[in-house]
mmCIF file of all heavy atoms in Angstrom:
data_model
loop_
_atom_site.group_PDB
_atom_site.id
_atom_site.type_symbol
_atom_site.label_atom_id
_atom_site.label_comp_id
_atom_site.label_asym_id
_atom_site.label_seq_id
_atom_site.Cartn_x
_atom_site.Cartn_y
_atom_site.Cartn_z
ATOM 1 N N GLY A 10 56.637 177.440 72.200
ATOM 2 C CA GLY A 10 55.512 178.062 71.522
ATOM 3 C C GLY A 10 55.254 177.607 70.111
ATOM 4 O O GLY A 10 54.377 178.177 69.439
ATOM 5 N N LYS A 11 55.950 176.585 69.641
ATOM 6 C CA LYS A 11 55.790 176.104 68.299
ATOM 7 C C LYS A 11 55.479 174.612 68.268
ATOM 8 O O LYS A 11 55.707 173.912 69.243
ATOM 9 C CB LYS A 11 57.052 176.381 67.471
ATOM 10 C CG LYS A 11 57.373 177.861 67.300
ATOM 11 C CD LYS A 11 58.565 178.034 66.383
ATOM 12 C CE LYS A 11 58.866 179.500 66.175
ATOM 13 N NZ LYS A 11 60.063 179.698 65.310
ATOM 14 N N GLN A 12 54.951 174.147 67.171
ATOM 15 C CA GLN A 12 54.644 172.731 66.997
ATOM 16 C C GLN A 12 55.937 171.970 66.692
ATOM 17 O O GLN A 12 56.903 172.498 66.167
ATOM 18 C CB GLN A 12 53.629 172.542 65.868
ATOM 19 C CG GLN A 12 52.266 173.131 66.122
ATOM 20 C CD GLN A 12 51.309 172.744 65.043
ATOM 21 O OE1 GLN A 12 50.778 171.626 65.028
ATOM 22 N NE2 GLN A 12 51.022 173.664 64.157
ATOM 23 N N ARG A 13 55.900 170.711 67.009
ATOM 24 C CA ARG A 13 57.007 169.819 66.680
ATOM 25 C C ARG A 13 57.120 169.670 65.151
ATOM 26 O O ARG A 13 56.078 169.569 64.455
ATOM 27 C CB ARG A 13 56.789 168.459 67.325
ATOM 28 C CG ARG A 13 57.899 167.451 67.063
ATOM 29 C CD ARG A 13 57.610 166.151 67.757
ATOM 30 N NE ARG A 13 57.941 166.158 69.175
ATOM 31 C CZ ARG A 13 57.051 166.035 70.162
ATOM 32 N NH1 ARG A 13 55.745 165.880 69.892
ATOM 33 N NH2 ARG A 13 57.444 166.048 71.432
ATOM 34 N N GLU A 14 58.310 169.729 64.617
ATOM 35 C CA GLU A 14 58.532 169.660 63.185
ATOM 36 C C GLU A 14 59.631 168.668 62.889
ATOM 37 O O GLU A 14 60.611 168.519 63.655
ATOM 38 C CB GLU A 14 58.853 171.017 62.585
ATOM 39 C CG GLU A 14 60.143 171.599 63.082
ATOM 40 C CD GLU A 14 60.549 172.907 62.405
ATOM 41 O OE1 GLU A 14 59.875 173.283 61.420
ATOM 42 O OE2 GLU A 14 61.489 173.552 62.854
ATOM 43 N N LEU A 15 59.513 168.028 61.729
ATOM 44 C CA LEU A 15 60.573 167.126 61.256
ATOM 45 C C LEU A 15 61.662 167.961 60.561
ATOM 46 O O LEU A 15 61.359 168.749 59.686
ATOM 47 C CB LEU A 15 60.003 166.111 60.268
ATOM 48 C CG LEU A 15 60.984 165.127 59.657
ATOM 49 C CD1 LEU A 15 61.501 164.130 60.709
ATOM 50 C CD2 LEU A 15 60.322 164.369 58.490
ATOM 51 N N VAL A 16 62.903 167.750 60.939
ATOM 52 C CA VAL A 16 63.961 168.505 60.325
ATOM 53 C C VAL A 16 64.863 167.649 59.445
ATOM 54 O O VAL A 16 65.528 168.173 58.555
ATOM 55 C CB VAL A 16 64.830 169.255 61.368
ATOM 56 C CG1 VAL A 16 63.978 170.275 62.114
ATOM 57 C CG2 VAL A 16 65.461 168.274 62.406
ATOM 58 N N ALA A 17 64.933 166.351 59.679
ATOM 59 C CA ALA A 17 65.751 165.467 58.863
ATOM 60 C C ALA A 17 65.302 164.038 59.036
ATOM 61 O O ALA A 17 64.814 163.639 60.088
ATOM 62 C CB ALA A 17 67.243 165.596 59.247
ATOM 63 N N SER A 18 65.455 163.244 57.988
ATOM 64 C CA SER A 18 65.133 161.813 58.072
ATOM 65 C C SER A 18 66.051 161.007 57.203
ATOM 66 O O SER A 18 66.687 161.545 56.270
ATOM 67 C CB SER A 18 63.668 161.575 57.689
ATOM 68 O OG SER A 18 63.427 161.871 56.329
ATOM 69 N N ILE A 19 66.106 159.745 57.479
ATOM 70 C CA ILE A 19 66.924 158.827 56.667
ATOM 71 C C ILE A 19 66.260 157.469 56.589
ATOM 72 O O ILE A 19 65.779 156.946 57.594
ATOM 73 C CB ILE A 19 68.386 158.714 57.252
ATOM 74 C CG1 ILE A 19 69.274 157.868 56.380
ATOM 75 C CG2 ILE A 19 68.333 158.208 58.708
ATOM 76 C CD1 ILE A 19 70.742 158.000 56.748
ATOM 77 N N THR A 20 66.174 156.924 55.398
ATOM 78 C CA THR A 20 65.543 155.616 55.213
ATOM 79 C C THR A 20 66.515 154.524 55.571
ATOM 80 O O THR A 20 67.683 154.722 55.842
ATOM 81 C CB THR A 20 65.074 155.435 53.746
ATOM 82 O OG1 THR A 20 66.237 155.260 52.895
ATOM 83 C CG2 THR A 20 64.255 156.619 53.279
ATOM 84 N N ARG A 21 65.980 153.287 55.567
ATOM 85 C CA ARG A 21 66.852 152.116 55.833
ATOM 86 C C ARG A 21 67.949 151.972 54.814
ATOM 87 O O ARG A 21 69.028 151.459 55.147
ATOM 88 C CB ARG A 21 66.007 150.857 55.886
ATOM 89 C CG ARG A 21 65.064 150.775 57.075
ATOM 90 C CD ARG A 21 64.091 149.624 56.962
ATOM 91 N NE ARG A 21 63.165 149.836 55.868
ATOM 92 C CZ ARG A 21 62.285 148.928 55.426
ATOM 93 N NH1 ARG A 21 62.235 147.723 55.997
ATOM 94 N NH2 ARG A 21 61.470 149.207 54.430
ATOM 95 N N ALA A 22 67.705 152.474 53.607
ATOM 96 C CA ALA A 22 68.713 152.415 52.552
ATOM 97 C C ALA A 22 69.682 153.596 52.559
ATOM 98 O O ALA A 22 70.580 153.653 51.732
ATOM 99 C CB ALA A 22 68.013 152.302 51.201
ATOM 100 N N GLY A 23 69.414 154.575 53.424
ATOM 101 C CA GLY A 23 70.287 155.729 53.546
ATOM 102 C C GLY A 23 69.889 156.950 52.732
ATOM 103 O O GLY A 23 70.700 157.882 52.594
ATOM 104 N N ILE A 24 68.669 157.005 52.229
ATOM 105 C CA ILE A 24 68.181 158.151 51.518
ATOM 106 C C ILE A 24 67.790 159.223 52.523
ATOM 107 O O ILE A 24 67.031 158.955 53.460
ATOM 108 C CB ILE A 24 66.983 157.806 50.625
ATOM 109 C CG1 ILE A 24 67.332 156.640 49.659
ATOM 110 C CG2 ILE A 24 66.520 159.048 49.862
ATOM 111 C CD1 ILE A 24 68.510 156.930 48.775
ATOM 112 N N MET A 25 68.275 160.438 52.317
ATOM 113 C CA MET A 25 68.114 161.492 53.321
ATOM 114 C C MET A 25 67.152 162.595 52.851
ATOM 115 O O MET A 25 67.033 162.897 51.677
ATOM 116 C CB MET A 25 69.492 162.110 53.639
ATOM 117 C CG MET A 25 70.422 161.158 54.308
ATOM 118 S SD MET A 25 72.148 161.738 54.306
ATOM 119 C CE MET A 25 72.595 161.403 52.627
ATOM 120 N N TYR A 26 66.527 163.185 53.832
ATOM 121 C CA TYR A 26 65.655 164.356 53.637
ATOM 122 C C TYR A 26 66.033 165.394 54.647
ATOM 123 O O TYR A 26 66.332 165.092 55.826
ATOM 124 C CB TYR A 26 64.176 163.957 53.808
ATOM 125 C CG TYR A 26 63.274 165.127 54.161
ATOM 126 C CD1 TYR A 26 62.784 165.964 53.197
ATOM 127 C CD2 TYR A 26 63.004 165.435 55.499
ATOM 128 C CE1 TYR A 26 61.999 167.074 53.498
ATOM 129 C CE2 TYR A 26 62.209 166.527 55.809
ATOM 130 C CZ TYR A 26 61.737 167.308 54.843
ATOM 131 O OH TYR A 26 60.936 168.426 55.163
ATOM 132 N N TYR A 27 65.960 166.663 54.245
ATOM 133 C CA TYR A 27 66.212 167.803 55.135
ATOM 134 C C TYR A 27 65.190 168.880 54.959
ATOM 135 O O TYR A 27 64.804 169.208 53.816
ATOM 136 C CB TYR A 27 67.609 168.397 54.915
ATOM 137 C CG TYR A 27 68.731 167.440 55.175
ATOM 138 C CD1 TYR A 27 69.340 166.761 54.129
ATOM 139 C CD2 TYR A 27 69.183 167.195 56.477
ATOM 140 C CE1 TYR A 27 70.373 165.889 54.367
ATOM 141 C CE2 TYR A 27 70.232 166.336 56.715
ATOM 142 C CZ TYR A 27 70.815 165.689 55.661
ATOM 143 O OH TYR A 27 71.855 164.806 55.907
ATOM 144 N N GLU A 28 64.715 169.420 56.040
ATOM 145 C CA GLU A 28 63.892 170.622 55.971
ATOM 146 C C GLU A 28 64.726 171.777 55.462
ATOM 147 O O GLU A 28 65.940 171.837 55.707
ATOM 148 C CB GLU A 28 63.329 170.898 57.388
ATOM 149 C CG GLU A 28 62.192 171.915 57.427
ATOM 150 C CD GLU A 28 62.682 173.322 57.554
ATOM 151 O OE1 GLU A 28 63.753 173.539 58.140
ATOM 152 O OE2 GLU A 28 61.978 174.223 57.055
ATOM 153 N N ASP A 29 64.098 172.675 54.748
ATOM 154 C CA ASP A 29 64.830 173.729 54.055
ATOM 155 C C ASP A 29 65.774 174.552 54.940
ATOM 156 O O ASP A 29 66.897 174.891 54.529
ATOM 157 C CB ASP A 29 63.890 174.678 53.325
ATOM 158 C CG ASP A 29 63.235 174.061 52.087
ATOM 159 O OD1 ASP A 29 63.749 173.027 51.598
ATOM 160 O OD2 ASP A 29 62.237 174.607 51.621
ATOM 161 N N SER A 30 65.332 174.805 56.150
ATOM 162 C CA SER A 30 66.116 175.687 57.021
ATOM 163 C C SER A 30 67.439 175.082 57.493
ATOM 164 O O SER A 30 68.292 175.789 57.968
ATOM 165 C CB SER A 30 65.277 176.138 58.221
ATOM 166 O OG SER A 30 65.004 175.051 59.071
ATOM 167 N N VAL A 31 67.577 173.758 57.362
ATOM 168 C CA VAL A 31 68.779 173.084 57.847
ATOM 169 C C VAL A 31 69.627 172.524 56.734
ATOM 170 O O VAL A 31 70.730 171.996 56.995
ATOM 171 C CB VAL A 31 68.479 172.004 58.898
ATOM 172 C CG1 VAL A 31 67.595 172.533 60.003
ATOM 173 C CG2 VAL A 31 67.823 170.770 58.258
ATOM 174 N N LYS A 32 69.172 172.606 55.498
ATOM 175 C CA LYS A 32 69.933 172.098 54.384
ATOM 176 C C LYS A 32 71.312 172.745 54.303
ATOM 177 O O LYS A 32 71.409 173.970 54.409
ATOM 178 C CB LYS A 32 69.181 172.294 53.082
ATOM 179 C CG LYS A 32 67.987 171.366 52.900
ATOM 180 C CD LYS A 32 67.308 171.650 51.554
ATOM 181 C CE LYS A 32 66.113 170.720 51.346
ATOM 182 N NZ LYS A 32 65.395 171.008 50.080
ATOM 183 N N GLY A 33 72.338 171.952 54.106
ATOM 184 C CA GLY A 33 73.690 172.462 54.004
ATOM 185 C C GLY A 33 74.336 172.667 55.360
ATOM 186 O O GLY A 33 75.551 172.913 55.406
ATOM 187 N N ARG A 34 73.592 172.523 56.444
ATOM 188 C CA ARG A 34 74.163 172.720 57.777
ATOM 189 C C ARG A 34 74.128 171.432 58.633
ATOM 190 O O ARG A 34 75.027 171.157 59.408
ATOM 191 C CB ARG A 34 73.441 173.797 58.524
ATOM 192 C CG ARG A 34 73.518 175.171 57.837
ATOM 193 C CD ARG A 34 73.018 176.279 58.734
ATOM 194 N NE ARG A 34 71.607 176.142 59.018
ATOM 195 C CZ ARG A 34 71.097 175.976 60.257
ATOM 196 N NH1 ARG A 34 71.888 175.963 61.318
ATOM 197 N NH2 ARG A 34 69.792 175.848 60.464
ATOM 198 N N PHE A 35 73.033 170.657 58.463
ATOM 199 C CA PHE A 35 72.840 169.426 59.266
ATOM 200 C C PHE A 35 73.063 168.208 58.404
ATOM 201 O O PHE A 35 72.791 168.205 57.186
ATOM 202 C CB PHE A 35 71.430 169.360 59.808
ATOM 203 C CG PHE A 35 71.106 170.366 60.884
ATOM 204 C CD1 PHE A 35 71.954 171.404 61.194
ATOM 205 C CD2 PHE A 35 69.920 170.225 61.606
ATOM 206 C CE1 PHE A 35 71.642 172.332 62.195
ATOM 207 C CE2 PHE A 35 69.578 171.150 62.585
ATOM 208 C CZ PHE A 35 70.436 172.183 62.864
ATOM 209 N N ILE A 36 73.579 167.152 59.002
ATOM 210 C CA ILE A 36 73.799 165.881 58.313
ATOM 211 C C ILE A 36 73.260 164.743 59.183
ATOM 212 O O ILE A 36 73.672 164.584 60.317
ATOM 213 C CB ILE A 36 75.281 165.622 58.032
ATOM 214 C CG1 ILE A 36 75.880 166.733 57.172
ATOM 215 C CG2 ILE A 36 75.437 164.264 57.291
ATOM 216 C CD1 ILE A 36 77.385 166.648 57.009
ATOM 217 N N ILE A 37 72.299 164.014 58.642
ATOM 218 C CA ILE A 37 71.769 162.866 59.365
ATOM 219 C C ILE A 37 72.461 161.589 58.852
ATOM 220 O O ILE A 37 72.788 161.464 57.689
ATOM 221 C CB ILE A 37 70.231 162.734 59.179
ATOM 222 C CG1 ILE A 37 69.664 161.698 60.110
ATOM 223 C CG2 ILE A 37 69.859 162.519 57.733
ATOM 224 C CD1 ILE A 37 68.125 161.679 60.168
#
């Protein structure tokens, strides 16, 4: 019932991004 959302990403150089709800819990 929800749209697809990005939760984490990582660049070729290893720079990471996390959606607020998973910060501190998920590691990409």
Side-chain angles (χ1 to χ4, degrees):
K11 297 184 178 180
Q12 296 187 77
R13 182 180 280 116
E14 64 175 351
L15 178 69
V16 297
S18 66
I19 185 167
T20 71
R21 290 171 292 173
I24 306 302
M25 294 167 283
Y26 157 84
Y27 298 98
E28 194 271 330
D29 287 344
S30 68
V31 308
K32 286 180 179 177
R34 299 190 297 119
F35 290 10
I36 302 171
I37 188 170

